[in-house]
């Protein structure tokens, strides 16, 4: 939500908004890794030798987080740097890929959370 909203603020230019976005997305990525580490640690601490049905839903966001960290965010960051320098890189679908990844992560985490919660109620 932050990304499109910041560009509507008075006085925010494209380079300024991109600079803010770079900081926010880098920070959010680090927070996601902390949370992912916590989830994986929680699964490992249960001592189960196999993933439980609800836990499979957490594999998808973990894989997406890896793809975002290794490929997507560095590409988007490089594009932002070019815009900040005043250059105009070729248009790409990277933002759409990022949005699709975020929707898939949120959906998977919701499904996983509901399944984990329903398992714990039994």
């Amino acid at each position: 939500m932050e990304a499109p909203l910041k560009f509507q603020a008075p006085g925010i230019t494209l380079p300024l908004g991109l600079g803010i976005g770079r900081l926010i997305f880098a920070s959010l990525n680090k927070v996601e890794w902390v949370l992912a580490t916590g989830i994986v640690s929680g699964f490992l601490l249960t001592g189960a030798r196999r993933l439980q049905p609800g836990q499979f839903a957490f594999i998808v966001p973990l894989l997406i987080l890896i793809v975002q960290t290794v490929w997507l965010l560095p590409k988007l960051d490089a594009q932002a740097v070019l815009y900040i320098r005043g250059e105009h890189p070729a248009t790409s679908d990277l933002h759409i890929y990022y949005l699709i990844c975020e929707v898939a992560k949120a959906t998977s985490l919701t499904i996983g959370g509901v399944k984990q919660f329903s398992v714990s109620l039994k």
Side-chain angles (χ1 to χ4, degrees), residues 2-3 13 23 26 32 44 49 51 56 61 63-64 66-67 75-77 79 89 94-96 103-105 115:
E2 169 274 334
T13 62
L23 291 171
E32 284 181 307
L44 294 174
R49 293 182 184 253
L51 286 175
F56 280 107
L63 293 175
I64 291 171
I66 292 168
V67 168
K75 291 278 191 187
L76 287 168
D77 193 62
Q79 277 190 340
L94 293 175
H95 284 92
I96 293 170
V103 169
K105 275 195 303 191
K115 285 186 177 186

Side-chain angles (χ1 to χ4, degrees), residues 42-121:
F43 290 156
L44 294 174
L45 291 174
T46 63
R49 293 182 184 253
R50 296 182 332 171
L51 286 175
Q52 302 303 312
Q55 294 172 331
F56 280 107
F58 291 103
I59 293 173
V60 172
L62 183 60
L63 293 175
I64 291 171
L65 183 58
I66 292 168
V67 168
Q68 285 179 316
T69 302
V70 173
W71 174 68
L72 198 51
L73 286 173
K75 291 278 191 187
L76 287 168
D77 193 62
Q79 277 190 340
V81 168
L82 291 174
Y83 273 110
I84 291 168
R85 289 183 188 160
E87 300 175 33
H88 298 285
T91 59
S92 71
D93 294 329
L94 293 175
H95 284 92
I96 293 170
Y97 298 154
Y98 190 85
L99 180 62
I100 291 168
C101 286
E102 288 300 300
V103 169
K105 275 195 303 191
T107 302
S108 297
L109 288 169
T110 300
I111 291 168
V114 168
K115 285 186 177 186
Q116 284 294 108
F117 185 70
S118 64
V119 167
S120 69
L121 290 178

Side-chain angles (χ1 to χ4, degrees), residues 9-22:
I12 298 294
T13 62
L14 182 60
L16 184 58
L18 290 172
I20 294 167
R22 289 178 67 222

